[in-house]
């Protein structure tokens, strides 16, 4: 079982972006100190839901502040980036961190980001497979050319090569051939896309165990149909996103999040603007918070451990990215991370 944190750098009502980012940095340092496995960073633009506009930039800072913990993006939004530029950053972080970087990518949403960064609605609706394949080629080939509909360029050398972490290939272990690439999946189409390329999935915190189990089963079926060997199909290290809040009484943990998270969700989600004016329905913030508390490790250490173990048993997923900043408070977030490491992890071994 590998337990990590999911960091949005959420800006709660009454806070500034600097406070949110400081909490993100400090919670990562606390995660390493507490023995957690990883930290996953989200990318958002123009909304206080999350004030980190570049997950790779923040990852670079955090990799420099830490020595052991893995740092990944959850996710870098591909339509907002040129895939070669993003892959170059991933290779750089992989090499300079000794293989501690994971690149999570996703399609994002139909937000105004597409207008600002120039990708356009087509990049969101149709361009993800081509961009993903270009990222993958860049991270494993010595030379790459762009031969798709959106990206066309002559063959160029890949510098630096992400698969040159070790001088002696015989010493290669996990991550030695380049950073792992994880794909955020929210639909059967994206599950099949990831499976065809044998890429592990990141599954969202709004999904329950039953839905995640169905997506893992679909991924395995599609991966087998694509011709991937059994050890690849069964060994895929998918990641389950969730929320964690640890307290001595289960009701205390839920009460804290129901008091704090709806205000953040209301102002954060309501700030999203669609690129084409399409109508969207925002979740009820209180009901959504209550849903998350019921799905994820929110409660006592024993309850949290039992829910994590149950998710692993039902879905086969043993990697977790848990939102720990739901209180909106720095000290409470640090204590939450500490308790995950000190009180929950020992119950999972």
């Amino acid at each position: 079982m590998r337990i990590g944190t999911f960091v949005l750098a959420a800006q709660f009502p009454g806070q500034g972006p600097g406070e949110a980012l400081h909490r993100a940095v400090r919670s990562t340092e606390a995660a390493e100190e507490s023995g957690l496995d990883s930290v996953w960073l989200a990318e958002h633009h123009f909304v206080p839901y999350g004030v980190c506009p570049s997950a790779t930039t923040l990852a670079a800072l955090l990799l420099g502040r830490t020595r052991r913990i893995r740092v990944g993006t959850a996710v870098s939004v591909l339509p907002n980036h040129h895939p070669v530029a993003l892959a170059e950053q991933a290779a750089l972080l992989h090499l300079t961190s000794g293989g501690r970087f994971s690149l999570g990518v996703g399609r994002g949403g139909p937000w105004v980001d597409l207008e600002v960064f120039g990708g356009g609605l087509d990049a969101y609706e149709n361009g993800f497979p081509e961009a993903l394949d270009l990222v993958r080629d860049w991270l494993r080939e010595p030379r790459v050319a762009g031969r798709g509909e959106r990206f066309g360029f002559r063959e160029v050398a890949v510098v630096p090569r992400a698969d040159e972490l070790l001088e002696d290939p015989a010493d290669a272990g996990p991550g030695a051939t380049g950073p792992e690439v994880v794909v955020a999946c929210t639909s059967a189409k994206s599950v099949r896309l990831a499976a065809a390329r044998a890429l592990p999935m990141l599954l969202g915190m709004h999904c329950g165990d039953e839905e995640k189990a169905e997506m893992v089963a679909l991924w395995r079926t599609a991966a087998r149909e694509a011709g991937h060997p059994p050890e690849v199909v069964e060994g895929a290290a998918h990641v389950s996103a969730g929320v964690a809040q640890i307290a001595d009484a289960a009701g205390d943990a839920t009460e804290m999040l129901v008091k704090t998270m709806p205000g953040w969700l209301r102002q954060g989600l309501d700030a999203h603007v669609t690129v084409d004016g399409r109508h969207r329905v925002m979740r009820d913030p209180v009901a959504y918070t209550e849903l998350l508390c019921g799905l994820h490790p929110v409660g006592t250490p024993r309850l949290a451990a039992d829910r994590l173990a149950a998710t692993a048993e039902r879905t086969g997923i043993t990697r977790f990215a848990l939102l720990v900043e739901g209180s909106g408070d720095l000290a409470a977030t640090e204590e939450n991370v500490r308790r995950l490491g000190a009180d929950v992890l020992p119950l999972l071994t």
Side-chain angles (χ1 to χ4, degrees):
M1 195 85 73
R2 289 185 277 172
I3 308 300
T5 62
F6 180 31
V7 175
L8 284 84
Q11 184 178 339
F12 284 70
Q15 295 180 352
E19 185 174 349
L21 289 166
H22 175 66
R23 188 174 62 247
V25 173
R26 184 62 200 117
S27 69
T28 298
E29 294 171 333
E32 173 155 276
E33 294 162 4
S34 301
L36 300 187
D37 171 77
S38 52
V39 174
W40 297 87
L41 310 171
E43 170 192 333
H44 291 94
H45 300 275
F46 324 125
V47 292
Y49 182 75
V51 298
C52 171
S54 173
T56 52
T57 300
L58 185 55
L61 171 69
L62 297 178
L63 287 165
R65 293 280 188 99
T66 56
R67 292 294 176 266
R68 175 196 57 81
I69 202 165
R70 175 167 290 275
V71 179
T73 61
V75 292
S76 292
V77 181
L78 260 184
N80 292 342
H81 302 271
H82 192 293
V84 170
L86 183 62
E88 285 186 322
Q89 294 172 47
L92 184 63
L93 294 176
H94 173 72
L95 292 167
T96 55
S97 69
R100 291 192 290 127
F101 178 72
S102 297
L103 178 64
V105 294
R107 196 165 68 106
W111 311 128
V112 71
D113 312 12
L114 298 166
E115 176 185 320
V116 174
F117 296 113
L121 195 58
D122 185 61
Y124 164 72
E125 294 181 336
N126 304 305
F128 186 72
E130 179 187 340
L132 176 62
D133 288 340
L134 190 48
V135 167
R136 292 177 68 233
D137 287 345
W138 195 269
L139 293 176
R140 62 185 183 179
E141 302 293 340
R143 299 182 66 85
V144 174
R147 299 188 175 93
E149 293 183 7
R150 293 183 58 82
F151 302 102
F153 53 87
R154 72 187 71 181
E155 185 178 273
V156 293
V158 175
V159 180
R161 288 279 302 277
D163 59 354
E164 293 181 348
L165 182 60
L166 300 178
E167 293 182 4
D168 183 358
D171 294 333
T177 57
E180 71 166 341
V181 178
V182 180
V183 179
C185 293
T186 58
S187 66
K189 182 178 179 180
S190 57
V191 171
R192 293 190 181 97
L193 179 76
R197 294 153 178 79
L199 296 176
M201 300 182 291
L202 170 71
L203 301 181
M205 60 185 180
H206 61 283
C207 299
D209 289 349
E210 182 177 351
E211 185 176 353
K212 286 179 179 177
E214 291 173 354
M215 296 175 83
V216 170
L218 175 60
W219 189 97
R220 288 174 175 168
T221 298
R224 285 192 293 266
E225 291 173 349
H228 297 296
E231 62 271 18
V232 171
V233 175
E234 298 302 322
H238 305 300
V239 183
S240 174
V243 175
Q245 189 67 42
I246 310 302
D248 291 329
D252 291 345
T254 299
E255 182 181 2
M256 171 181 283
L257 296 188
V258 171
K259 283 182 177 179
T260 57
M261 286 182 62
W264 157 61
L265 290 168
R266 186 174 290 108
Q267 75 167 13
L269 296 176
D270 194 47
H272 282 88
V273 175
T274 56
V275 68
D276 55 358
R278 70 179 67 180
H279 177 69
R280 65 183 189 87
V281 178
M282 186 180 77
R283 290 177 179 268
D284 176 81
V286 175
Y288 186 41
T289 301
E290 292 173 342
L291 171 70
L292 295 175
C293 289
L295 291 176
H296 299 302
V298 175
T300 65
R302 171 49 65 186
L303 183 150
D306 287 347
R307 285 190 177 172
L308 290 167
T311 296
E313 182 177 354
R314 293 167 184 158
T315 67
I317 300 174
T318 57
R319 298 172 76 188
F320 293 87
L322 302 174
L323 179 73
V324 292
E325 59 187 322
S327 66
D329 178 77
L330 174 59
T333 298
E334 289 184 284
E335 176 65 8
N336 196 30
V337 171
R338 186 196 67 78
R339 295 204 68 176
L340 265 179
D343 300 340
V344 178
L345 280 186
L347 300 176
L348 295 169
T349 57

